[in-house]
Amino acid sequence: MKKDKGNRYSGIGGQAVLEGVMMKNKDKYAVAVRKPNGEIDVEVDAYPGILHGSALKKIPFIRGIFNFLDSMALGMKTLNHSVSFYEDEDAKETAADKVMGKLFKEKAENVMLGIVTAFSIVLAVAVFMVLPYFITSLFEEYIRNASVMAILEGAIRILIFVGYIVAIAMMKDIKRLYQYHGAEHKCINCIEKGRPLTVHNVMRSSRLHKRCGTSFMFFVVFVSIIVFFFIRVEQPVLRILLRIALIPVIAGVSYEIIRLAGRSNNIIVRLLSAPGMCLQKLTTKEPDAEMVQVAMASVEAVFDWKAYLSDTFGYEIDDSWLVDEPAEEEEEA
C-alpha cells in the first residue's frame, strides 16, 4: 500500500450529541447513543436537506450557505434525539408544548426545531458579528483611521470567538460532549488514514480534523475580517445591515475553504487550517474505549469502510486485522 502523509477524503462527517455521535454520509445519517442501561441505540434515517436536488446546491460559494443551514438543522434534530434518552419520564408537558401541539399537531416538533435553529443563528450573528462593531464604535473618538478601526474590530471578533470557546470548554458538563467529539474525529481520521476501523486503531488516531465545525467557524471569523476591511460604508445603521447582509457571502467562502482543506494537504492549506486545528484542542477531548465504540457504531451504520479502504488504498480487510490490541498514544495531526 502506498503511504500518504495526508488523509484521503471519505465524504463522511458528523457531530457529537449527548452521550453519542451522529455520522452522515451523503443523504443518509445515523445517530448512535449510549443509553442509560449501557446499550448502544442506533437510529438510521435520511436527511436530503434544503433545496434537495436543486442545481443551486452544486454552485460554488452558493452551496455553502445551504450546507451551513442543513448542518444546523440536522445538528439540532439529532441532539434532541439523543436528549430524549435522558429526559425525565415524569416531566410534565409545559404550556408551550400544549400550544405548539394544538397549532401544528404532528409538525409541532419540526416547527419548534426550526424556531430554535433560527434563534441560534440570530444569537450567533448578534454576538460574533454585531457586538464587535458596537464595541469598536466606542473607540471612534480616539481612532480616526478607518483601516485601524477595521483591524480593531477584527481583533475584538477573534477575542470574543476564542473567549467563547475557552469559556465553554471550562464547563464540566461539556467535557463528555467534547470526548464524543474527539471520538467522531478519531473514527474519520482512522478510516481516512487507511486503517481498519477497530477500537485500537481509532484510539491511536488524531482527535483533530481539518473539516471540523470549529475550523469552519474560525474561517467565518477570519473571512469576515477581510470582507469588512475592504467593504465599508459610513452610516452606522448601514454598517450593521452590511454585516448581516454579507453573512451568506462569508459562509459561502468559508465553506469552500474548508471543503478544499478536506481534500488537500499542501502547505498553504495546512497553514490556513492551523488556527482552527489549535482551537480543536479545546473543543475535542480524548475519549475512552466505550465512547469510541459508540462512534464506530454510527460510522458502520452509514458507511462501508471496508469497501472504501479497498477502493482507495487497494487492499482487502482480513478478519484477523479486526482483533483489537492495547491502544497506543495518539498520533500528531
Side-chain angles (χ1 to χ4, degrees):
M1 180 183 68
K2 183 180 179 180
K3 293 184 179 180
D4 189 343
K5 292 182 180 180
N7 291 16
R8 303 288 186 87
Y9 179 72
S10 65
I12 58 173
Q15 74 165 52
V17 296
L18 182 65
E19 292 299 323
V21 172
M22 180 274 288
M23 288 288 187
K24 188 173 186 290
N25 179 32
K26 298 179 181 178
D27 291 341
K28 192 176 180 182
Y29 74 91
V31 191
V33 178
R34 179 78 68 179
K35 298 193 294 185
N37 63 7
E39 297 177 357
I40 300 176
D41 177 87
V42 181
E43 180 179 277
V44 180
D45 203 347
Y47 182 78
I50 302 170
L51 300 180
H52 176 64
S54 171
L56 289 174
K57 297 198 73 173
K58 298 180 180 180
I59 301 175
F61 301 105
I62 299 295
R63 60 190 173 191
I65 302 169
F66 298 107
N67 276 293
F68 171 70
L69 295 174
D70 283 339
S71 64
M72 287 283 292
L74 182 59
M76 290 290 185
K77 180 178 181 179
T78 54
L79 184 59
N80 286 342
H81 170 75
S82 66
V83 169
S84 67
F85 289 99
Y86 291 86
E87 288 179 339
D88 185 356
E89 294 182 358
D90 298 327
K92 295 182 179 179
E93 186 180 31
T94 65
D97 292 331
K98 294 178 181 179
V99 171
M100 293 296 291
K102 289 181 180 180
L103 290 176
F104 302 103
K105 297 181 170 52
E106 68 276 0
K107 295 183 179 180
E109 184 177 349
N110 290 334
V111 172
M112 182 60 73
L113 180 63
I115 293 173
V116 172
T117 302
F119 176 76
S120 300
I121 294 174
V122 171
L123 184 61
V125 170
V127 172
F128 298 116
M129 292 296 175
V130 179
L131 180 60
Y133 164 73
F134 278 113
I135 295 176
T136 306
S137 66
L138 299 176
F139 297 91
E140 284 183 337
E141 294 183 10
Y142 312 100
I143 303 174
R144 299 296 183 180
N145 188 290
S147 296
V148 174
M149 288 291 287
I151 294 172
L152 178 60
E153 181 182 343
I156 291 173
R157 183 171 289 111
I158 290 175
L159 286 174
I160 291 175
F161 177 63
V162 174
Y164 169 80
I165 289 179
V166 171
I168 291 294
M170 292 173 65
M171 296 174 62
K172 185 178 179 180
D173 294 340
I174 297 296
K175 182 180 178 181
R176 287 187 66 82
L177 184 70
Y178 282 175
Q179 286 181 285
Y180 278 106
H181 190 192
E184 174 223 329
H185 284 187
K186 280 174 170 284
C187 279
I188 297 174
N189 277 323
C190 176
I191 294 169
E192 293 185 341
K193 280 288 188 181
R195 298 168 180 157
L197 192 67
T198 66
V199 174
H200 166 66
N201 286 336
V202 172
M203 289 292 285
R204 73 189 185 99
S205 297
S206 173
R207 73 178 197 267
L208 312 180
H209 198 282
K210 288 187 291 186
R211 296 200 312 274
C212 175
T214 304
S215 293
F216 172 77
M217 290 307 299
F218 173 80
F219 285 134
V220 167
V221 172
F222 179 73
V223 172
S224 70
I225 293 172
I226 297 174
V227 170
F228 297 150
F229 183 86
F230 290 103
I231 302 177
R232 306 173 190 171
V233 292
E234 295 299 324
Q235 294 82 356
V237 174
L238 290 180
R239 289 178 188 174
I240 297 173
L241 293 177
L242 181 68
R243 278 150 180 74
I244 297 173
L246 287 176
I247 288 173
V249 176
I250 293 168
V253 173
S254 301
Y255 174 80
E256 296 304 323
I257 296 174
I258 201 165
R259 189 173 187 271
L260 175 64
R263 291 167 168 78
S264 176
N265 197 45
N266 63 55
I267 184 64
I268 296 176
V269 169
R270 291 203 300 271
L271 287 173
L272 287 173
S273 301
M277 299 285 276
C278 287
L279 288 174
Q280 285 180 47
K281 292 181 179 180
L282 293 173
T283 62
T284 63
K285 301 295 181 185
E286 280 298 315
D288 57 33
E290 289 190 348
M291 293 174 175
V292 164
Q293 289 170 353
V294 174
M296 289 171 56
S298 185
V299 172
E300 293 182 320
V302 294
F303 187 73
D304 188 347
W305 61 267
K306 292 182 181 179
Y308 167 78
L309 293 185
S310 176
D311 294 340
T312 307
F313 295 92
Y315 62 86
E316 302 296 330
I317 300 299
D318 187 284
D319 288 343
S320 63
W321 295 9
L322 304 183
V323 178
D324 273 309
E325 301 174 4
E328 298 174 0
E329 291 184 1
E330 175 189 5
E331 68 172 22
E332 292 185 4

